[in-house]
Each structure stands twice: as C-alpha cells, then as structure tokens.
Amino acid sequence: MTLGHWKVDEQSNEITAIPELLKLLGLNGCIVTIDAIGCQTEIAQLIVEQEADYVLALKGNKGGEGVKKPMWTSRSECSPGLQ
C-alpha cells in the first residue's frame, strides 16, 4: 500500500524528497519501508523520531552481488553509521 507520493523537482532527487514526505505522514507505531535510495541516516532518524520502525534495503555493491538485502532496525536501535 502506498500512502504518499511526492514529485521530485528537476534540480533535486529522492534523497531530499523522502524526508519532506515523511514529515507529512503520521507514522507513530507504523513500519516504514523504503528501497536502497532511502538508506540514509537522516531518513532513518526522522522515522525513529516519529516513533515508527523501518525496513530499509541495503544494496550489495561488491563484486557481482548487486542484490538488495533487507535490513530491519527497530526504533530503539537506530544506527548512526547507516549511510
């Protein structure tokens, strides 16, 4: 289910648009899923600050892997090294 859609400006990208969209949603108690483009410290922290949990995809960038790997982190375990 998609709860929000945000058009990205020509001079911008998804990384700057995702936080703006998240600020519009009431996320308390929800689980937010975002693909690898959203795997950013600022985005994870914003979700945690709204008392929600998240599932972010990590993209394997080594060798021929290139497979997205799911990663689960609860709001009590927000990883500051996530980038």
Side-chain angles (χ1 to χ4, degrees):
M1 176 184 310
T2 301
L3 296 179
H5 181 81
W6 192 273
K7 183 176 178 172
V8 178
D9 294 330
E10 288 184 32
Q11 304 296 324
S12 186
N13 62 37
E14 292 92 346
I15 294 173
T16 58
I18 291 170
E20 297 303 317
L21 177 59
L22 292 174
K23 290 174 187 174
L24 298 175
L25 301 172
L27 301 178
N28 188 304
C30 293
I31 299 173
V32 177
T33 60
I34 305 175
D35 66 6
I37 193 77
C39 194
Q40 304 288 322
T41 303
E42 176 189 356
I43 292 171
Q45 188 61 42
L46 182 59
I47 295 167
V48 171
E49 287 171 1
Q50 293 192 49
E51 298 185 15
D53 293 306
Y54 58 84
V55 178
L56 303 176
L58 299 174
K59 187 173 181 181
N61 291 328
K62 296 181 182 176
E65 292 179 26
V67 177
K68 291 184 179 180
K69 303 172 187 174
M71 181 202 69
W72 167 261
T73 300
S74 72
R75 61 180 155 239
S76 62
E77 301 171 344
C78 185
S79 174
L82 183 63
Q83 298 198 31

PDB file of all heavy atoms in Angstrom, residues 8-13:
ATOM      1  N   VAL A   8       9.493  14.826  -7.412  1.00  0.00           N
ATOM      2  CA  VAL A   8      10.832  15.356  -7.171  1.00  0.00           C
ATOM      3  C   VAL A   8      11.110  16.477  -8.159  1.00  0.00           C
ATOM      4  O   VAL A   8      10.861  16.337  -9.357  1.00  0.00           O
ATOM      5  CB  VAL A   8      11.891  14.231  -7.327  1.00  0.00           C
ATOM      6  CG1 VAL A   8      13.284  14.756  -7.123  1.00  0.00           C
ATOM      7  CG2 VAL A   8      11.594  13.098  -6.373  1.00  0.00           C
ATOM      8  N   ASP A   9      11.608  17.611  -7.653  1.00  0.00           N
ATOM      9  CA  ASP A   9      11.975  18.726  -8.516  1.00  0.00           C
ATOM     10  C   ASP A   9      13.098  18.315  -9.464  1.00  0.00           C
ATOM     11  O   ASP A   9      13.900  17.436  -9.153  1.00  0.00           O
ATOM     12  CB  ASP A   9      12.447  19.921  -7.682  1.00  0.00           C
ATOM     13  CG  ASP A   9      11.337  20.516  -6.844  1.00  0.00           C
ATOM     14  OD1 ASP A   9      10.170  20.444  -7.266  1.00  0.00           O
ATOM     15  OD2 ASP A   9      11.645  21.053  -5.769  1.00  0.00           O
ATOM     16  N   GLU A  10      13.168  18.956 -10.604  1.00  0.00           N
ATOM     17  CA  GLU A  10      14.211  18.641 -11.577  1.00  0.00           C
ATOM     18  C   GLU A  10      15.610  18.848 -11.009  1.00  0.00           C
ATOM     19  O   GLU A  10      16.544  18.175 -11.408  1.00  0.00           O
ATOM     20  CB  GLU A  10      14.033  19.493 -12.829  1.00  0.00           C
ATOM     21  CG  GLU A  10      12.843  19.067 -13.666  1.00  0.00           C
ATOM     22  CD  GLU A  10      12.736  19.848 -14.948  1.00  0.00           C
ATOM     23  OE1 GLU A  10      13.787  20.236 -15.500  1.00  0.00           O
ATOM     24  OE2 GLU A  10      11.609  20.073 -15.397  1.00  0.00           O
ATOM     25  N   GLN A  11      15.767  19.778 -10.094  1.00  0.00           N
ATOM     26  CA  GLN A  11      17.072  20.083  -9.509  1.00  0.00           C
ATOM     27  C   GLN A  11      17.336  19.294  -8.230  1.00  0.00           C
ATOM     28  O   GLN A  11      18.265  19.594  -7.499  1.00  0.00           O
ATOM     29  CB  GLN A  11      17.173  21.584  -9.206  1.00  0.00           C
ATOM     30  CG  GLN A  11      16.926  22.476 -10.398  1.00  0.00           C
ATOM     31  CD  GLN A  11      17.979  22.299 -11.475  1.00  0.00           C
ATOM     32  OE1 GLN A  11      19.136  22.084 -11.204  1.00  0.00           O
ATOM     33  NE2 GLN A  11      17.543  22.362 -12.729  1.00  0.00           N
ATOM     34  N   SER A  12      16.524  18.294  -7.954  1.00  0.00           N
ATOM     35  CA  SER A  12      16.612  17.547  -6.700  1.00  0.00           C
ATOM     36  C   SER A  12      16.655  16.050  -6.990  1.00  0.00           C
ATOM     37  O   SER A  12      16.826  15.625  -8.115  1.00  0.00           O
ATOM     38  CB  SER A  12      15.406  17.912  -5.823  1.00  0.00           C
ATOM     39  OG  SER A  12      15.527  17.318  -4.560  1.00  0.00           O
ATOM     40  N   ASN A  13      16.505  15.251  -5.913  1.00  0.00           N
ATOM     41  CA  ASN A  13      16.434  13.801  -6.072  1.00  0.00           C
ATOM     42  C   ASN A  13      15.615  13.208  -4.932  1.00  0.00           C
ATOM     43  O   ASN A  13      15.151  13.916  -4.050  1.00  0.00           O
ATOM     44  CB  ASN A  13      17.837  13.183  -6.139  1.00  0.00           C
ATOM     45  CG  ASN A  13      18.626  13.405  -4.867  1.00  0.00           C
ATOM     46  OD1 ASN A  13      18.084  13.376  -3.768  1.00  0.00           O
ATOM     47  ND2 ASN A  13      19.913  13.626  -4.998  1.00  0.00           N
TER      48      ASN A  13
END
